[in-house]
């Protein structure tokens, strides 16, 4: 089995870099911007004159790779930098007793290691414990001896790539049964049979065109990173459609293995596939796998090692024949593409020729700096015009038809369909959940049920946690001496953090249901039934999935908008996403709804969430009408088969979210609670101060007293900004909580917990009892049902948390959109809360 020593992080989020970053921007990248290059890597182009090194890997591509290997550039050969040209390019090297010159760009594709380091690694190649117990040094020796394999997982959406990634690397990336779950590359490492594997999970894509952002992302990654082996993950239950991507990868001429995933579904359907014969026909080894159970995973990585070492017999380069006319056009362009070493060393000439004939803009950018660029374009235009005269279809259609013809021919020889008629569970369920009469009622009923369970079932563990913190607070009050430290622990830490952590069960329940809907495939159906409504507001059904994801967290939901092909639709979806109530606001709703509206909790929950959706719809209509032009984009989205989510998967996702929540409790919430406590605690004043001056006299207002000599810093701040929020029915404490919630919405409840803790006149320690107790200065409670409704509406709609604002700026590539959501959302929140408060006062 695998030796799991896994490392996992989201490269693009964590590092803030796209795949086109250069090596100098952060460690671990090669000269060509490869994301999975070794941290300790060294390229031939790095050698100084007179310095020697040992070749350990050729990272080049296609003809270049074969050519330099034929010339002796193979693993274990010593090579010396002899002389730089006057302009330092090219460079002359000595190898095997002869001299050869390479340009810097070509030398950068050859990985080397200093001679002494290679010799040391060879001495330690037995990997005996006595050699070295330092895992970092051992990893370096593994890298230095060329025992690192960089692999990239590529496949269609819903094919199980991320499940395979989780099984292989030990990571816990969320898996959803709809497109767009993986919106960035995820990177992990593990060891298998003496090799260190760097594994990258790339976004799901149907092809390698430039139609959608994820397709362009994957293609640029392959161009710039040059993985040693591509693992093409294909859905065995939908093999014909999935193999189209395989034909494009074959055109790119990379070393590849096909992981025929979800193979259990193909077996259960009664179909039979001769995958060994199929692999031999297309020149790519095929390994059946079931990621959910781990079946075939070890065999898959055994096969990857065989391919990497050049020992697999199925590997051969096959051209997918595209018909005589297109092949003639390709043959015209290929010699010119191969003649430029800058292109031929990194790209397949055949793949580029096909894309140029299809009019691909990215392919044209690749050849822009080639000396033959003008000639290539002239010949391409002539070839396209000639094809147009001979055929009624454009080149892209002709290529797609020929490739599907190739796939059909291969499957005709290897796939045996079951004779029995299939009435799948998916079709039966879809007959109800996508029905024009039942679809919407079922969706609303599901959401109502989720909110009902979240509140009513969550009340029990919530009460247990609350009792535990009450006991802990009592222990501190009974056993610690009076003073600031006791107040800090009892009021700041326990009151603040404890006031938020009691809502953990509600958040876990909500995430469990969202995970279940994603994994089962129902989320895609929700997008399907919502398409017409989304179209009315200027979007389409695919925008609905990021909006539903926003119920969990707005940040990944905004990132998921990358899968929306239309730029204007993508921007609108990003800008309206913060109106979808995330789980961070849930503790506020649970507190106030449980306090004032417990008899109708599920209904109030649903109405609050629906209000957010309604404001999002209105905003989308305004943006589409006044800001963005009309953009009709086709609604093309896969409806995957229903799959019963495993309890392990749903629980793992739920626990992952629990870890995130608990880490936030020990981080930003704890710090914020202490800061709020300190601002509320200081400055300290002597008891029974006798007014001596006019300034010391309490100034009476119509609702509460403002004592300038006794107010804490926080109270001063709250009363200073309270005139803005007073029309909404907010007390100064509520105003402070709103401001404190800007960094993170969880801080709102912790702030209230600190501000309403420590009043000995109130016997009940529960926060709900304290916020409804009469204010000693006004004789009225700070929160009434009307004020509570207005408070929830304001929290729902006002400016999103800092992390969401940053995500908006990153995804839109403009700070102006971040500023827009801060201003627009806050104004909309104030207006909506004012209306709700005034209406509520009437009842």
């Amino acid at each position: 089995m695998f030796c799991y020593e896994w490392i996992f992080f989201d490269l693009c989020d964590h590092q803030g870099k796209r795949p086109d970053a250069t090596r100098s921007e952060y460690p671990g990248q090669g000269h060509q911007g490869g994301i999975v290059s070794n941290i300790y890597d060294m390229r031939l182009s790095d050698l100084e004159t007179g310095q020697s090194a040992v070749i350990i890997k050729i990272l080049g591509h296609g003809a270049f790779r074969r050519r330099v290997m034929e010339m002796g550039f193979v693993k274990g050969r010593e090579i010396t930098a002899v002389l730089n040209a006057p302009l330092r390019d090219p460079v002359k090297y000595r190898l095997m007793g002869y001299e050869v010159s390479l340009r810097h760009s070509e030398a950068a594709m050859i990985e080397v290691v200093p001679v002494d380091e290679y010799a040391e690694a060879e001495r330690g190649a037995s990997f005996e414990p006595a050699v070295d117990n330092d895992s970092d040094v051992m990893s370096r020796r593994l890298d230095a001896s060329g025992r690192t394999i960089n692999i990239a997982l590529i496949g269609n959406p819903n094919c199980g790539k991320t499940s395979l990634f989780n099984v292989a690397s030990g990571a816990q990336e969320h898996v959803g049964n709809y497109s767009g779950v993986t919106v960035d590359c995820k990177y992990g490492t593990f060891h298998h049979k003496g090799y260190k594997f760097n594994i990258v999970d790339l976004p799901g894509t149907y092809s390698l065109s430039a139609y959608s952002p994820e397709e362009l992302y994957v293609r640029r990654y392959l161009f710039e990173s040059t993985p040693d082996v591509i693992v093409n993950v294909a859905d065995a239950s939908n093999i014909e459609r999935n193999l189209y991507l395989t034909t494009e990868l074959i055109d790119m001429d990379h070393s590849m293995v096909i992981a025929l995933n979800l193979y259990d579904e193909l077996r259960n359907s009664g179909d039979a596939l001769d995958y060994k014969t199929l692999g031999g026909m297309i020149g790519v080894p095929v390994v059946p796998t079931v990621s959910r159970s781990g079946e075939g995973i070890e065999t898959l990585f055994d096969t990857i090692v065989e391919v990497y070492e050049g020992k697999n017999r199925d590997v051969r380069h096959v051209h997918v024949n595209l018909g005589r006319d297109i092949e003639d056009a390709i043959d015209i362009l290929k010699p010119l593409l191969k003649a430029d070493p800058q292109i031929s060393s990194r790209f397949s000439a055949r793949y580029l020729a096909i894309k140029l004939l299809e009019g691909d803009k990215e392919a044209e950018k690749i050849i822009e700096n080639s000396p033959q660029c003008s000639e290539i374009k002239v010949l391409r235009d002539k070839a396209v015009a000639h094809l147009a005269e001979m055929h009624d279809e454009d080149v892209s259609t002709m290529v797609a038809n020929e490739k599907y013809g190739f796939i059909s021919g291969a499957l005709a020889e290897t796939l045996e369909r079951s004779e029995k008629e299939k009435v799948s569970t998916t079709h039966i369920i879809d007959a109800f959940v996508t029905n024009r009469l039942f679809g919407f009622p079922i969706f609303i009923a599901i959401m109502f049920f989720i909110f009902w369970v979240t509140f009513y079932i969550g009340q029990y563990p919530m009460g247990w946690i609350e009792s535990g913190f009450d006991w802990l607070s009592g222990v501190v009050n009974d056993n610690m001496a009076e003073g600031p430290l006791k107040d800090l622990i009892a009021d700041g830490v326990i009151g603040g953090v404890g006031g938020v952590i009691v809502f953990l069960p509600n958040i876990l329940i909500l995430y469990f249901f969202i995970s279940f809907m994603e994994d089962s495939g129902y989320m895609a159906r929700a997008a399907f039934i919502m398409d017409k409504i989304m179209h009315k507001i200027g979007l389409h059904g695919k925008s609905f999935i990021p909006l539903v994801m926003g119920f969990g967290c707005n940040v990944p939901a905004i990132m998921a908008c990358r899968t929306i092909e239309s730029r204007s639709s993508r921007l609108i979806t990003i800008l309206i996403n913060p109106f979808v109530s995330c789980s961070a606001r849930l503790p506020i709703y649970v507190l106030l709804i449980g306090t004032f509206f417990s008899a109708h909790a599920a209904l109030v929950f649903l109405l609050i969430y629906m209000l957010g959706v309604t404001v999002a719809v209105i905003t989308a209509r305004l943006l589409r009408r006044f800001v963005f032009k009309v953009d009709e984009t086709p609604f093309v989205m896969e409806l995957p088969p229903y799959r019963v989510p495993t309890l392990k998967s749903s629980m793992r996702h739920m626990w992952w979210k629990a870890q995130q929540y608990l880490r936030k409790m020990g981080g930003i919430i704890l710090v914020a609670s202490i800061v709020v406590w300190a601002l509320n605690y200081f400055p300290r004043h002597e008891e029974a101060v006798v007014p001596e001056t006019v300034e010391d006299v309490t100034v009476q207002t119509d609702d509460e007293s403002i004592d300038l000599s006794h107010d804490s810093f926080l109270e001063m701040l709250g009363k200073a900004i309270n005139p803005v929020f007073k029309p909404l029915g907010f007390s100064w404490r509520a105003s402070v909580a709103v401001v404190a919630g800007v960094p993170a919405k969880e801080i709102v409840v912790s702030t209230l917990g600190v501000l309403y803790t420590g009043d000995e006149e109130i016997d009940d320690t529960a926060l709900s009892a304290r916020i409804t107790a009469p204010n000693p200065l006004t004789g009225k409670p700070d929160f009434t049902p009307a004020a509570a409704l207005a408070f929830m509406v304001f929290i729902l709609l006002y400016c999103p948390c800092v992390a969401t604002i940053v995500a908006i700026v990153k995804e839109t590539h403009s700070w102006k959109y971040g500023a827009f959501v801060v201003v627009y959302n806050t104004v909309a929140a104030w207006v909506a809360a004012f209306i709700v408060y005034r209406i509520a006062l009437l009842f």
Side-chain angles (χ1 to χ4, degrees), residues 78-134:
E78 185 174 332
I79 187 169
T80 303
V82 178
L83 180 68
N84 281 284
L87 298 178
R88 301 191 59 82
D89 200 9
V91 181
K92 183 164 65 175
Y93 299 94
R94 183 182 298 115
L95 173 72
M96 296 175 63
Y98 78 98
E99 294 180 344
V100 60
S101 67
L102 291 177
R103 292 180 178 176
H104 268 280
S105 59
E106 297 164 341
M109 306 299 288
I110 300 172
E111 195 171 319
V112 298
V113 68
V115 175
D116 55 348
E117 191 173 325
Y118 182 80
E120 183 184 357
E122 286 294 293
R123 288 194 299 270
S126 61
F127 308 114
E128 295 176 0
V131 174
D132 205 321
N133 291 323
D134 187 346

Side-chain angles (χ1 to χ4, degrees), residues 539-566:
L539 300 173
H540 57 72
K542 205 168 186 179
S543 297
F544 184 70
I545 287 178
L547 295 177
V548 175
M549 289 177 67
F551 287 129
C553 179
N554 294 135
V555 174
I558 288 169
M559 293 170 60
C561 294
R562 296 176 190 173
T563 62
I564 302 171
E565 293 83 1
S566 162

